[in-house]
Amino acid sequence: RPAPTQAGQEAGDPRPSTAGEAGSIPAHEAGRGRLAWLHAVSVGETQAARPLVEALLARGWRVLLTHMTPTGRATAAALFGDRVQSVYLPWDTPGGADRFLDRFRPAFGAILETELWPNLIARCRARGVPLWLVNARLSERSAAGYRRLPRLTAEALAGLAGVLAQDEADAGRLRALGAPRVQVTGNLKFDVQPSGALIERGRGWRVRWGRRPVWVAASTREGEEVEILAALAAVDPGALLVLVPRHPQRFDAVADAVVAAGLRVARRSAADGIDDAADPSVRVLLGDSMGEMAAWYAAADLAFVGGSLRPFGGQNLIEPCAIGCPVLVGPHTWNFLEAAAQAVEAGAAMRVPDAQALGQAVAALLTDPQRRAAMAAAGLRFTQAHRGAAERTLRAILSETRAIETRG
């Protein structure tokens, strides 16, 4: 089977083989019941799609979300319920693409971030279905991989209706690979509004934990947890670490690692897990649940955003900034290269070179409420200043879709 050309797929999720499951934009661009198709491979892309989905629904469009992982579909169900249709995208074969397009007949498609499916792109172009790459990002490391397949990559990019990139650096790398129609519209993750219900849930947890300092290590990846647990040696033993692995299949292994480190652990999934974390002898609370990241940030004095201590590229640091939670990141943040640099420059985040420095930074910040307050305020200003990507993205897509239909 031909494999897609892609970057950033979430590890550990099986690929399904079929899809056979059943305000300032002008009013004349409303959907009036037409179908908009957004492809969001997994959890992060589905969360990033939220502002686009909500804006399309508000304008009368029906929305189809496609995914490549079970966790992506579960996220769609949690965010949108039955307001959207959610199915798996088929394997990238001409026949699979044709059957998918025959069944759903979208007015346009939008692939989030960086996933290039050559057959799907070619079949959409042949049928006159505008297909966009939106919220597009491309690190230098990923660009080097694409350069090994220059003809295939250039042909796929040329078949798109357009590319809407997160920033100028991403846009430049995509143009260099052969993308002919590239605009910078910003990062959709800045437009994702934190859930008020989750924020209140997290604040409620914090009340139950009393006066303990609390910090969260969020979206951690394999190998990072052991380093983070070692870093606890520098932190006040009365502080509570909330440890939230990125992938649910690793929850049990991470719990075992905490015990092996000689630390007492409580689990969110246990009936009394949240209340057990009020006990000062519990050093670690394992966040072994899905969809509660905003609550963990709301409950914490500060956050370390994982995937950045080891060379995974880093996870989303925009969400804690938007909640007013001070942020620490490691040296590896190429998945959020510009956002991380801007957050550090704005004073919303600090970068640490290694786990030892992480422990020292946590210890210092937990005893400096004025510094934490300044970082929290900077994070709110930083995220507010970068909103608007969803509006710019929809303008580009809907105006060009209308123009293509008029020419047709």
Side-chain angles (χ1 to χ4, degrees):
R1 276 179 186 156
T5 305
Q6 63 180 33
Q9 180 183 326
E10 183 180 23
D13 285 317
R15 286 183 178 275
S17 60
T18 70
E21 303 177 48
S24 63
I25 292 177
H28 65 266
E29 292 185 3
R32 296 185 297 277
R34 303 175 69 198
L35 182 69
W37 157 44
L38 307 181
H39 177 60
V41 61
S42 195
V43 175
E45 295 84 1
T46 306
Q47 292 170 334
R50 185 175 183 180
L52 287 181
V53 171
E54 296 292 355
L56 285 163
L57 291 173
R59 289 163 174 81
W61 288 81
R62 294 180 297 118
V63 176
L64 170 69
L65 275 174
T66 57
H67 312 276
M68 293 304 297
T69 69
T71 49
R73 289 197 65 189
T75 301
L79 290 177
F80 309 115
D82 61 1
R83 294 186 298 148
V84 306
Q85 188 172 3
S86 173
V87 301
Y88 290 121
L89 190 70
W91 286 99
D92 191 38
T93 64
D98 280 334
R99 287 189 293 274
F100 172 80
L101 294 170
D102 283 341
R103 174 164 184 176
F104 294 106
R105 300 184 181 279
F108 69 86
I111 299 174
L112 272 87
E113 303 207 352
T114 308
E115 261 202 27
L116 300 180
W117 297 76
N119 287 312
L120 182 63
I121 292 170
R123 298 314 300 154
C124 284
R125 186 173 188 179
R127 289 164 170 259
V129 178
L131 183 60
W132 297 77
L133 192 64
V134 305
N135 211 42
R137 63 178 175 88
L138 188 68
S139 68
E140 182 53 43
R141 176 179 294 198
S142 295
Y146 284 117
R147 284 195 290 268
R148 290 195 286 268
L149 297 168
R151 183 175 176 180
L152 179 64
T153 298
E155 287 180 356
L157 289 168
L160 294 167
V163 175
L164 306 178
Q166 293 185 13
D167 57 52
E168 287 291 351
D170 292 317
R173 285 188 282 267
L174 286 157
R175 289 188 189 105
L177 289 172
R181 295 171 291 277
V182 183
Q183 302 175 50
V184 175
T185 49
N187 191 335
L188 289 171
K189 289 184 169 72
F190 283 105
D191 287 355
V192 177
Q193 296 292 331
S195 163
L198 286 176
I199 289 173
E200 287 305 310
R201 185 183 303 174
R203 289 173 177 165
W205 292 341
R206 186 56 187 268
V207 170
R208 290 155 71 175
W209 297 336
R211 299 174 63 88
R212 297 190 72 180
V214 179
W215 65 291
V216 58
S219 298
T220 55
R221 303 288 295 272
E222 188 170 4
E224 290 187 319
E225 293 90 2
V226 172
E227 296 185 55
I228 291 166
L229 293 172
L232 280 178
V235 180
D236 177 357
L240 174 68
L241 165 62
V242 179
L243 188 54
V244 188
R246 175 162 174 77
H247 296 122
Q249 63 267 29
R250 299 186 55 247
F251 288 160
D252 290 342
V254 173
D256 291 342
V258 178
V259 173
L263 302 169
R264 187 176 172 196
V265 60
R267 298 184 65 150
R268 165 71 175 110
S269 60
D272 298 321
I274 293 294
D275 289 326
D276 288 344
D279 184 341
S281 68
V282 173
R283 295 291 305 278
V284 179
L285 171 61
L286 182 65
D288 56 348
S289 62
M290 296 293 292
E292 291 190 313
M293 193 61 76
W296 297 125
Y297 289 138
D301 293 302
L302 63 96
F304 166 72
V305 178
S308 61
L309 269 184
R310 293 201 169 189
F312 294 108
Q315 304 305 142
N316 182 11
L317 80 162
I318 297 170
E319 184 177 15
C321 288
I323 293 172
C325 183
V327 172
L328 297 167
V329 295
H332 306 289
T333 55
W334 63 78
N335 289 335
F336 291 84
L337 188 63
E338 184 161 321
Q342 290 172 339
V344 171
E345 183 178 359
M350 288 176 53
R351 190 183 297 277
V352 296
D354 52 37
Q356 182 179 3
L358 172 64
Q360 294 167 349
V362 169
L365 283 170
L366 288 180
T367 59
D368 192 344
Q370 290 184 330
R371 178 74 185 278
R372 295 200 311 272
M375 292 179 71
L380 295 173
R381 291 193 300 269
F382 163 65
T383 51
Q384 181 63 43
H386 288 85
R387 287 182 180 145
E391 188 74 14
R392 291 187 290 270
T393 297
L394 276 184
R395 269 191 184 282
I397 290 175
L398 297 182
S399 61
E400 181 63 19
T401 298
R402 191 174 67 253
I404 290 171
E405 293 172 342
T406 300
R407 291 195 299 268

